[in-house]
Amino acid sequence: MSYGVCVEVWGEYALFTRPEHKAERVSYEALTPSAARGILEAIFWHPGMTWIIDCIYVLKPIQFAAVKKNEVRSKINARTVSAAIKKEQGSLYLAASEDRQQRAAVMLKDVHYVIKAHFELTDKANPSDNHGKFSDIIKRRLRRGQCFHQPYFGLREFPAHFREWGSTEIQTAYPNETRDLGYMLYDMDYSDSMNIRPIFFHAVLKNGILDLRDCEVQR
Amino acid sequence: MADVIKNRYEFVILFDVENGNPNGDPDAGNMPRMDQETGHGIVTDVCLKRKIRNYVEIACEDQEGYRIYVKERVPLERNDTEAFNFLGVQKNKDQLKKLKKDNPELDMQIRDFMCRNFYDIRTFGAVMTTFVKNSLNCGQVRGPVQIGFARSIDPIIPQEIGITRVTHTTEADAEAKDAPGTMGRKYVVPYGLYKAEGYVSANLARRVTGFTEEDLKLLWTSIINMFEHDHSAARGKMTVRELIVFKHDSELGNAPAHKLFEAVSVQKKSDEAVPRSYDDYEVRVHEDKVPAGVTCMRMI
């Protein structure tokens, strides 16, 4: 038995980066299942449960916008830090103006989705955990607007607002229309932490709905 | 050491620009950033974070625990004894070797070390992922503070200003007959009032970076003063006009963020007037729209 939730999310911008365009980021046309999972996990998550995204409803037409920013090139190198801790040497900072690259991004504008999802218990669940308990916590958080941290659409500068979807009917932006979105990232496979692998699926937006319940995934 | 924050916060920053370029667009020859479809001006989140970092760097001058990781210039300095104090070890080679050997939690220590030392990592987070030989992976540290793009209240109309300069760069230019001065150009927004929205997650503060009450106070101060030490020929006159903070009674929060943001209304006083100063706007916080369990504070 599974308990479902229906969460409405919206925001000014979104960027669900295509892995093949990650230096100069280009967004997918719609919310990916992994980003949707991230949004739900920002609201509530526990090691004893795992979110499964069933459907994503696209409520506003797909629109793109572009932005270019100055970004830094490097990441913090763990080895440099550990050397600094251990050997008492090395300079720890990033010189933003010297280690800079300008990167353009194609993002989505004015997005609005409804995420239909359910959760399943994992073997890390405590004996006292059950579907009803988690379900109550989630409902409460949605109602009160509580979250672990503010969810976001792909990047943290694009905050996502959320609330429980109130009605049973969902009017999408593309009724009576089928759009083939091509291959999209489904999620990452974290089962082997030394070899985290992406999973893809063939995304078809049917009547504005991305149905993930019966999709074939490719590893 | 002050306590880690225990409350969730949301905040709204209102800042304005007079005859300046708040944030140039590298894609458009450094014109002020704009949403081309609506004409609203945009200032990116990273632009504001840069100002906050710069303020903290100036105000704290590399005080212990308040260093800035992403710097604009390169001061040559070394962080040495600080690291040793953190790990509670002496400058003793044998002891260090041993530490290296039997320390499976080194990556978590690195993460904590960076968070404790650098204000910007504690606040905004940092990517510390490197898969080096010993597969050290300190992870992607998300800081508690999250800021969205700032957007102007009304459409902006940037103006291109032609400017001249009487000197020449090269000797050859100077010797050329009738050499005129060089022409340059700059873009200014005559006036624009921008609004940015931000979030502070107490959960991330507690579980990841240890962002404290004192850090929060410094964050508010740095937001209020972020343009005061950022004057330049390009910026014109920029001022933070309002910092409205919503404090939730609890760590998880008491109300949805969008409802709190909706409690702040910013409107032009008259429909006809072209806004040219802050006085042309009226900012109101509708206290009746602020749900129970949330305190609204106007910090300026």
Side-chain angles (χ1 to χ4, degrees):
Chain A
M1 193 162 98
S2 67
Y3 287 75
V5 288
C6 217
V7 182
E8 176 188 8
V9 288
W10 71 97
E12 248 179 309
Y13 297 104
L15 211 173
F16 312 112
T17 311
R18 290 173 183 269
E20 68 271 29
H21 294 296
K22 63 178 184 180
E24 302 244 67
R25 292 183 271 259
V26 178
S27 178
Y28 278 119
E29 284 144 294
L31 177 65
T32 60
S34 64
R37 178 178 58 82
I39 288 173
L40 296 180
E41 284 176 356
I43 300 166
F44 178 71
W45 182 77
H46 184 279
M49 64 174 286
T50 174
W51 280 109
I52 293 156
I53 310 295
D54 298 323
C55 284
I56 291 167
Y57 296 75
V58 180
L59 270 57
K60 287 230 173 122
I62 296 162
Q63 292 181 78
F64 288 101
V67 67
K68 187 183 262 186
K69 292 198 256 185
N70 293 322
E71 302 182 12
V72 290
R73 186 177 293 141
S74 320
K75 288 184 233 175
I76 299 177
N77 190 319
R79 206 154 40 177
T80 318
V81 185
S82 73
I85 295 176
K86 277 180 231 148
K87 291 195 209 117
E88 203 195 333
Q89 56 176 286
S91 325
L92 275 184
Y93 54 81
L94 269 181
S97 52
E98 313 229 326
D99 189 22
R100 170 163 119 170
Q101 56 189 10
Q102 292 193 330
R103 298 213 263 167
V106 177
M107 55 194 184
L108 293 169
K109 220 176 95 168
D110 195 15
V111 293
H112 196 162
Y113 305 101
V114 171
I115 305 168
K116 236 183 205 172
H118 69 276
F119 60 87
E120 278 166 15
L121 296 184
T122 66
D123 48 11
K124 283 191 182 137
N126 299 319
S128 60
D129 292 335
N130 57 56
H131 275 106
K133 174 180 161 185
F134 283 154
S135 188
D136 282 349
I137 297 174
I138 294 155
K139 291 262 158 69
R140 203 159 50 228
R141 288 207 180 171
L142 286 172
R143 212 170 41 240
R144 295 184 188 163
Q146 294 181 321
C147 54
F148 182 81
H149 63 81
Q150 189 70 26
Y152 46 85
F153 287 120
L155 301 181
R156 285 194 88 188
E157 54 262 47
F158 305 135
H161 296 307
F162 62 93
R163 67 181 159 215
E164 190 169 20
W165 179 253
S167 79
T168 45
E169 242 176 83
I170 304 172
Q171 185 71 45
T172 71
Y174 300 102
N176 315 316
E177 201 180 318
T178 301
R179 290 167 77 104
D180 191 333
L181 303 185
Y183 274 91
M184 260 172 89
L185 180 73
Y186 182 79
D187 212 328
M188 303 296 280
D189 180 359
Y190 295 96
S191 54
D192 177 5
S193 65
M194 295 309 285
N195 182 22
I196 297 167
R197 292 190 310 170
I199 310 170
F200 293 91
F201 74 109
H202 185 197
V204 179
L205 199 62
K206 218 177 241 172
N207 301 326
I209 305 164
L210 206 52
D211 196 333
L212 303 150
R213 283 171 298 192
D214 194 22
C215 67
E216 200 179 322
V217 296
Q218 313 231 335
R219 277 158 213 266
Chain B
M1 199 74 187
D3 294 333
V4 170
I5 55 163
K6 293 187 179 62
N7 305 79
R8 178 179 131 185
Y9 296 85
E10 261 89 46
F11 56 93
V12 175
I13 313 168
L14 287 174
F15 60 92
D16 64 356
V17 56
E18 237 175 81
N19 294 324
N21 183 356
N23 185 199
D25 185 349
D27 247 356
N30 210 37
M31 255 176 70
R33 288 186 192 275
M34 272 174 80
D35 179 331
Q36 295 298 340
E37 282 166 5
T38 64
H40 286 87
I42 288 173
V43 172
T44 60
D45 60 310
V46 282
C47 171
L48 299 176
K49 287 181 185 173
R50 175 82 266 152
K51 312 281 181 253
I52 293 170
R53 285 186 165 106
N54 287 351
Y55 176 82
V56 173
E57 201 178 355
I58 294 168
C60 297
E61 283 194 347
D62 279 337
Q63 240 181 73
E64 199 173 317
Y66 288 92
R67 300 188 165 199
I68 293 297
Y69 184 72
V70 185
K71 284 177 189 268
E72 227 165 353
R73 281 153 273 105
V74 191
L76 289 167
E77 55 172 61
R78 305 207 152 174
N79 63 315
D80 32 27
T81 40
E82 226 174 292
F84 282 87
N85 293 341
F86 172 74
L87 288 180
V89 289
Q90 299 295 313
K91 290 184 203 170
N92 180 324
K93 279 220 167 124
D94 293 337
Q95 209 177 351
L96 281 174
K97 259 188 193 158
K98 199 168 169 288
L99 186 79
K100 203 177 189 174
K101 221 181 194 176
D102 45 33
N103 192 355
E105 284 168 9
L106 191 62
D107 43 356
M108 282 303 108
Q109 287 188 355
I110 291 171
R111 190 189 81 177
D112 291 345
F113 171 80
M114 294 304 277
C115 286
R116 181 137 347 162
N117 276 287
F118 292 93
Y119 180 79
D120 54 341
I121 295 181
R122 214 155 57 229
T123 309
F124 303 125
V127 180
M128 299 199 233
T129 322
T130 50
F131 288 92
V132 287
K133 268 181 213 149
N134 44 356
S135 67
L136 276 175
N137 180 8
C138 319
Q140 197 171 314
V141 177
R142 275 175 308 183
V145 179
Q146 183 181 349
I147 302 176
F149 279 12
R151 179 176 261 277
S152 65
I153 305 298
D154 288 302
I156 55 162
I157 297 162
Q159 284 175 7
E160 188 182 347
I161 311 255
I163 47 173
T164 57
R165 147 180 115 152
V166 292
T167 55
H168 302 275
T169 315
T170 61
E171 287 287 351
D173 278 356
E175 279 162 20
K177 239 187 182 177
D178 305 326
T182 323
M183 288 293 286
R185 58 190 178 152
K186 61 196 264 182
Y187 292 100
V188 299
V189 177
Y191 184 80
L193 179 64
Y194 290 73
K195 182 172 80 167
E197 293 169 348
Y199 311 80
V200 185
S201 158
N203 298 284
L204 287 176
R206 175 164 60 85
R207 296 201 199 188
V208 186
T209 72
F211 183 80
T212 65
E213 294 284 351
E214 267 176 35
D215 291 336
L216 186 73
K217 257 191 225 161
L218 180 59
L219 178 73
W220 302 143
T221 323
S222 57
I223 290 174
I224 291 165
N225 293 297
M226 65 183 169
F227 299 120
E228 304 300 326
H229 302 277
D230 187 59
H231 297 298
S232 76
R235 296 276 173 260
K237 195 166 129 194
M238 293 189 72
T239 317
V240 176
R241 297 292 184 170
E242 282 275 359
L243 171 60
I244 300 160
V245 175
F246 296 100
K247 180 182 183 179
H248 297 254
D249 280 352
S250 63
E251 194 180 59
L252 281 172
N254 296 59
H258 65 269
K259 285 205 172 164
L260 301 178
F261 293 140
E262 282 163 12
V264 178
S265 79
V266 185
Q267 266 171 339
K268 262 190 306 189
K269 280 180 186 161
S270 148
D271 276 348
E272 287 155 57
V274 178
R276 280 293 178 266
S277 84
Y278 188 61
D279 289 336
D280 296 337
Y281 283 97
E282 189 178 17
V283 179
R284 287 178 60 194
V285 181
H286 302 272
E287 297 279 352
D288 51 315
K289 283 195 191 165
V290 179
V294 179
T295 324
C296 172
M297 299 173 283
R298 287 172 92 147
M299 308 293 275
I300 302 182

